[in-house]
Amino acid sequence: MRVSLLCASLLACVSCVTTQGQGAQASSGGNRNTAELDDWPALRSSIALDPAIEARVAEILASMTLAQKIGQMTQAEIKSITPEQVREHYIGSVLNGGGSWPDKNKHASVADWLALSQRYHDASMATDAKVPVPIIWGTDAVHGHSNIYGATMFPHNVGLGAAHDVGLIEQIGAATARSTRATGIHWVFAPTVAVSRDARWGRAYESFSSDGALVRDYGAAYVRGMQGAFREDGNVVATAKHFIGDGATENGKDQGLARVTKAEMVNVHAQGYYGAIEAGVQTVMASYNSWTDADTGAEYGKMHGAGSLLTGALKQKMGFDGFIVSDWNAIGQLPGCTNSSCPQAINAGVDMIMVPDDWKAFIANTIRQVESGEIPLSRIDDAVTRILRVKLRAGLFETSPAANRYAGDPDALQHRDLARRAVRESLVLLKNDAGVLPLRRDQRVLVVGKGADSVPMQAGGWSLTWQGTDTTNADYPNADTILAGVREAVGKDNVVYSADGTTAVQGDFDVVLAVVGETPYAETNGDIVPSDTVAHSRRHPEDLAVLQRVAAAGKPVVTVFLSGRPLYTNDLMNLSQAFVAAWLPGTEGKGVTDVLFAKRGGGVAHEFRGALTFPWPAVACPDAKKAPLFATGYGLRHGSREPVGTLPVELPQACAAASMLPIFKMADIAPFALHLATGDASRAVGADLNRTIEFPAGKPAVRVQTVQVNTQQDAKQVTWLAPARFYAINPSRNNLAAFARADGAVQFDVVVSARSKAPVMLSMGCGTGCGAEVDLTAALSGYALGSKHTVKVPLACFAERGLDLGGVEVPFAVSASAPFSAAFTDIKVVAGSAKHADAVGCPAKP
Ligand code: BGC
Ligand code: BGC
């Protein structure tokens, strides 16, 4: 384990010697109690109860009907509700989910957003209520106003954490808030104050640090920046999310189970809430995860139903007097609930319910549950009191979206200098053997790697689209790639660019700059499953290949690694003289080159300032007993002379006998990608959840839409109009032999909506002319239309028919030759599944 000596000069260094689990003691300032807590602390919000506001709240509440109150507690998605419906149903809030824009237009302008917001507002003020209550719109502006075309995107929180600069975070919070108000929106679902303890979590990049004390400071700064004192046009309501333990789940499984002690929950995972509440945060979002106390075995269940935490801990003990919003369709995950009915969550303390689509049924059900006494009216009154209090505090009653100095102003979405500074500060120099950095400006540079000219890779998830996929550089008109920064630094003529590095052999250059890393993902889709390794090259062999190719040229290699988390990269570091963790820097790629290149004429232009806020792994298979390669707090400076040297390399295929190989669930799971084909033509389905794909365009043989089978927007509805194939492909192939030996089956959920008159085949492929198929027709025709079934077909069945299990390129393909329609999701290969009684089995060979 290496701990940089230089780190001793950083504020953060207190934490670099702190072992995990003692985050609360590593606090870095303020007059706070550093003793270990044994219970939820009483906190004082910087926004005190105001008797005048409270009196006004009571007056409005007294004037409201039950329908108006339940409407107030309802948050619908903009795709599912019109302004007219907002008026009619007294709706209290709308949101735009990730990748949801006015008129489903990815390029909607600031004026379009503002106009829609003004229409919702006007509708909310035009109800027949005695006192109309203005609507509040919430959005995931999680790294800048990140759903908006043309907006500046800041580094994700993982990078902001590494910068260790509280003032910077406060400025970013304030800038993001102004951008948000420009579009007429008043409420941001940020900051995420998760304390991520496992980099396998698909949301690790939304976390500032694995150290609770840092999360406390940064969460507080973010809230101060966003909310200000609600006195300025640029202030918005902030959200601390997701309460509680989202970063504590076993193996980093998104929405999973946190098995931690209460001491760890109150001293580590709750720290962000302490900071945010003291800074005056007005809303808290409940979390999808569940919690079982590792000491006592007490089960709290899913957080949305945990009254002792939402009401007991957060509202009563910590004194939170704002409101709790549920997460997207999260109520439907509670036992006995559906997406449109969940008295349990309301009784547990959820005040506003995010019911993106089923809001109408939710309102009807909830009114009935209050009338029957299942939900006490006092609970409803408390929820509405909290919502009205926040709306009054935020000044919503005195203003309208357009009546704001930033309203409609595209310049209010431009914070490029601030973001560029954030990028500079966030870079962590992990290796600089032989002092290659800073790079001289009089050199010829070979630039390689798939990340060199890619704003989508810089931006990561939650960027224009939910997953951050299905975008290109053209979707980012105000952005610079790292390649653009290199061209500016050394002059266009001194840059040779080759994404895959193939020109390395014959090129004329002095130094290589490789930009490699993870491709975008969000939420569960970014999880690394427990059987998998955290070796970057396992999921992205193309990056190792590029480095191997350029290393052969014998020139120094500087690698910039774009990732949402620390990953095992010993193999990549050995091929690089210098290695920089650049996280997910956002739109300002020139922030990277600002630091990489020396001043004209020599000398450091910008020093590396970043230090790790998460440990960097030394082994490919996570092992809590092994020391990290670089501890938190590590980060070199240009002049550091601490060679990393050659690191041992192990690249196992897997860490445990995989019990499952995920292929598709809500979105493609790398390295697999869903495709459509007819004849020789094919295309990727892609990640745009809002689009209907017709393929081939003009004369479609097949149509694909996103629908719900298990959770929202998790499935692909595929409609065959003519012969076509719907399949998943991994060009680098999988060896499924071990799965086959372990009674593995390929498995997926299906809902048939229109039967086929011709056979429907399930096939697996192992390259051109290699593969096998199984007839699914009989199985499918046994399923009632509209009902969900899990299909399991033994791998052995394909092997018998000639599949080469050692090199499976297509693990799942459905083909039909006549009209047929079905929704598919949760496609995977599962060990043991072939034995299950409900497996389709191996139909007789034709
Ligand atoms: C939405 C996201 C949301 C997610 C929840 C997506 O379809 O666009 O905003 O976070 O569903 O799983
Ligand atoms: C995410 C939240 C997000 C919400 C709305 C959920 O899936 O967990 O973080 O705020 O969707 O998009």
Side-chain angles (χ1 to χ4, degrees):
M1 171 164 104
R2 292 153 199 277
V3 178
S4 162
L5 293 175
L6 279 144
C7 107
S9 63
L10 282 176
L11 193 66
C13 247
V14 199
S15 67
C16 75
V17 291
T18 305
T19 56
Q20 295 212 346
Q22 299 179 320
Q25 295 177 332
S27 74
S28 52
N31 53 344
R32 77 170 56 128
N33 181 5
T34 53
E36 284 272 326
L37 299 169
D38 52 21
D39 198 11
W40 311 97
L43 304 168
R44 174 132 31 92
S45 166
S46 64
I47 301 182
L49 277 184
D50 173 342
I53 289 183
E54 296 307 305
R56 181 88 179 109
V57 167
E59 203 182 303
I60 301 172
L61 184 73
S63 77
M64 291 171 85
T65 63
L66 182 58
Q68 289 166 9
K69 290 175 183 175
I70 306 305
Q72 202 47 232
M73 293 169 64
T74 303
Q75 181 180 62
E77 217 282 343
I78 60 166
K79 286 197 292 255
S80 302
I81 195 161
T82 62
E84 179 50 24
Q85 290 172 318
V86 161
R87 188 191 61 76
E88 205 180 319
H89 298 271
Y90 313 101
I91 299 297
S93 181
V94 289
L95 87 151
N96 65 298
S100 170
W101 322 279
D103 297 324
K104 300 188 183 176
N105 173 14
K106 199 201 295 184
H107 294 168
S109 67
V110 176
D112 295 335
W113 286 89
L114 177 65
L116 183 58
S117 173
Q118 187 65 41
R119 286 174 59 213
Y120 282 127
H121 174 85
D122 291 345
S124 70
M125 299 310 282
T127 65
D128 60 10
K130 286 212 186 79
V131 186
V133 179
I135 195 166
I136 187 164
W137 178 335
T139 190
D140 293 293
V142 296
H143 64 133
H145 200 1
S146 41
N147 283 286
I148 316 294
Y149 175 69
T152 296
M153 302 208 189
F154 295 98
H156 272 290
N157 290 354
V158 62
L160 297 186
H164 290 92
D165 184 342
V166 174
L168 172 76
I169 290 175
E170 186 165 338
Q171 286 180 47
I172 289 176
T176 303
R178 289 197 297 277
S179 302
T180 305
R181 288 299 290 272
T183 55
I185 299 176
H186 267 97
W187 178 18
V188 169
F189 303 136
T192 296
V193 292
V195 179
S196 169
R197 284 299 175 101
D198 194 318
R200 290 174 290 184
W201 186 28
R203 306 189 80 155
Y205 64 84
E206 297 184 57
S207 172
F208 294 114
S209 178
S210 58
D211 178 349
L214 293 181
V215 173
R216 178 177 187 157
D217 288 346
Y218 301 161
Y222 211 106
V223 170
R224 282 195 304 273
M226 290 212 134
Q227 294 192 164
F230 294 127
R231 277 194 212 106
E232 286 165 40
D233 271 9
N235 297 157
V236 298
V237 175
T239 307
K241 71 186 188 184
H242 310 80
F243 190 83
I244 188 177
D246 49 354
T249 60
E250 284 184 304
N251 302 318
K253 183 176 164 26
D254 190 40
Q255 308 191 2
L257 170 68
R259 206 185 285 279
V260 296
T261 63
K262 180 169 175 195
E264 194 171 345
M265 209 53 117
V266 297
N267 288 294
V268 178
H269 298 284
Q271 288 275 335
Y273 297 93
Y274 307 158
I277 290 171
E278 287 174 337
V281 78
Q282 291 297 298
T283 73
V284 168
M285 190 182 291
S287 187
Y288 286 115
N289 67 274
S290 31
W291 175 22
T292 294
D293 188 314
D295 276 339
T296 65
E299 294 179 12
Y300 293 92
K302 287 261 173 195
M303 292 301 101
H304 281 76
S308 65
L309 298 171
L310 298 180
T311 301
L314 182 60
K315 291 179 176 173
Q316 291 169 349
K317 292 195 170 164
M318 295 188 221
F320 173 66
D321 68 8
F323 69 83
I324 300 178
V325 63
S326 56
D327 204 342
W328 181 285
N329 279 338
I331 57 169
Q333 296 188 9
L334 293 190
C337 291
T338 66
N339 287 347
S340 62
S341 169
C342 195
Q344 292 90 322
I346 297 175
N347 287 337
V350 172
D351 302 303
M352 181 181 281
I353 295 77
M354 192 188 289
V355 262
D357 306 312
D358 301 338
W359 54 271
K360 217 184 252 180
F362 167 79
I363 292 175
N365 291 332
T366 309
I367 290 178
R368 209 172 322 113
Q369 289 150 0
V370 178
E371 283 167 352
S372 75
E374 218 179 325
I375 305 173
L377 185 60
S378 56
R379 177 70 267 279
I380 299 297
D381 285 346
D382 174 52
V384 177
T385 294
R386 289 166 176 273
I387 295 167
L388 294 174
R389 177 185 292 143
V390 171
K391 289 184 173 183
L392 282 161
R393 282 176 173 168
L396 260 68
F397 283 76
E398 284 105 68
T399 181
S400 85
N404 182 294
R405 62 186 275 214
Y406 301 106
D409 179 4
D411 290 344
L413 285 90
Q414 300 310 311
H415 309 286
R416 301 197 61 182
D417 290 343
L418 179 62
R420 187 164 166 173
R421 173 183 143 208
V423 174
R424 285 197 294 266
E425 293 191 20
S426 69
L427 304 176
V428 181
L429 180 59
L430 297 179
K431 173 175 179 179
N432 189 18
D433 286 13
V436 198
L437 292 174
L439 294 169
R440 295 197 328 263
R441 285 177 191 252
D442 59 355
Q443 311 189 82
R444 279 179 66 77
V445 186
L446 170 66
V447 179
V448 300
K450 66 179 194 281
D453 192 26
S454 170
V455 184
M457 266 186 69
Q458 291 175 193
W462 297 104
S463 300
L464 275 185
T465 63
W466 177 35
Q467 295 291 321
T469 48
D470 204 56
T471 57
T472 66
N473 287 352
D475 291 312
Y476 296 94
N478 306 311
D480 282 311
T481 64
I482 294 170
L483 177 63
V486 183
R487 288 189 169 134
E488 188 175 87
V490 298
K492 274 207 298 304
D493 298 342
N494 290 318
V495 179
V496 189
Y497 169 56
S498 162
D500 64 2
T502 44
T503 58
V505 221
Q506 69 275 47
D508 158 28
F509 52 86
D510 307 303
V511 63
V512 181
L513 180 67
V515 186
V516 297
E518 293 190 291
T519 48
Y521 52 79
E523 300 193 43
T524 314
N525 204 40
D527 280 2
I528 297 175
V529 297
S531 56
D532 201 351
T533 82
V534 294
H536 177 71
S537 309
R538 229 282 305 142
R539 265 171 309 283
H540 292 287
E542 70 281 7
D543 290 342
L544 177 61
V546 151
L547 289 186
Q548 282 167 336
R549 219 167 277 145
V550 294
K555 297 286 167 59
V557 177
V558 175
T559 297
V560 171
F561 188 60
L562 301 173
S563 73
R565 49 191 157 194
L567 290 165
Y568 177 82
T569 46
N570 283 12
D571 50 342
L572 306 180
M573 288 188 195
N574 284 350
L575 293 165
S576 318
Q577 276 62 48
F579 196 92
V580 178
W583 316 112
L584 300 171
T587 47
E588 307 313 316
K590 287 183 180 171
V592 174
T593 45
D594 283 347
V595 182
L596 293 184
F597 286 90
K599 279 203 277 228
R600 221 162 278 291
V604 169
H606 291 277
E607 186 51 278
F608 280 98
R609 300 190 34 173
L612 296 178
T613 56
F614 296 92
W616 195 279
V619 288
C621 291
D623 180 348
K625 291 186 291 292
K626 294 247 170 76
L629 178 63
F630 304 121
T632 55
Y634 177 87
L636 302 172
R637 304 293 168 256
H638 275 299
S640 309
R641 290 290 170 268
E642 287 177 72
V644 168
T646 304
L647 300 166
V649 173
E650 34 137 21
L651 287 176
Q653 269 291 312
C655 292
S659 53
M660 201 257 285
L661 176 70
I663 296 169
F664 174 89
K665 185 177 185 174
M666 300 197 270
D668 289 339
I669 298 174
F672 299 101
L674 287 181
H675 279 70
L676 301 171
T678 174
D680 290 339
S682 69
R683 64 156 286 169
V685 171
D688 190 341
L689 299 171
N690 299 310
R691 194 159 69 195
T692 298
I693 295 172
E694 306 218 302
F695 181 74
K699 196 170 173 297
V702 61
R703 177 184 311 131
V704 178
Q705 278 167 306
T706 301
V707 294
Q708 165 160 347
V709 165
N710 296 309
T711 55
Q712 78 291 346
Q713 301 182 308
D714 68 330
K716 295 298 172 198
Q717 176 81 36
V718 186
T719 303
W720 278 259
L721 311 163
R725 213 151 63 96
F726 169 63
Y727 62 103
I729 182 164
N730 165 20
S732 47
R733 304 199 182 187
N734 291 81
N735 184 343
L736 300 183
F739 277 102
R741 285 194 300 275
D743 289 313
V746 57
Q747 173 174 328
F748 55 93
D749 291 346
V750 67
V751 176
V752 177
S753 42
R755 299 197 195 285
S756 168
K757 294 216 170 56
V760 177
M761 308 301 284
L762 178 69
S763 58
M764 293 181 83
C766 33
T768 314
C770 175
E773 62 179 11
V774 165
D775 194 337
L776 279 189
T777 320
L780 294 180
S781 59
Y783 301 157
L785 291 185
S787 64
K788 181 183 90 173
H789 293 271
T790 301
V791 174
K792 299 170 184 169
V793 183
L795 293 174
C797 191
F798 294 96
E800 277 166 24
R801 290 162 163 81
L803 179 76
D804 168 13
L805 286 164
V808 176
E809 187 176 39
V810 173
F812 164 91
V814 176
S815 30
S817 53
F820 165 57
S821 186
F824 300 87
T825 189
D826 207 3
I827 306 168
K828 54 196 175 190
V829 174
V830 186
S833 181
K835 286 189 306 224
H836 294 171
D838 57 345
V840 164
C842 201
K845 283 188 236 177

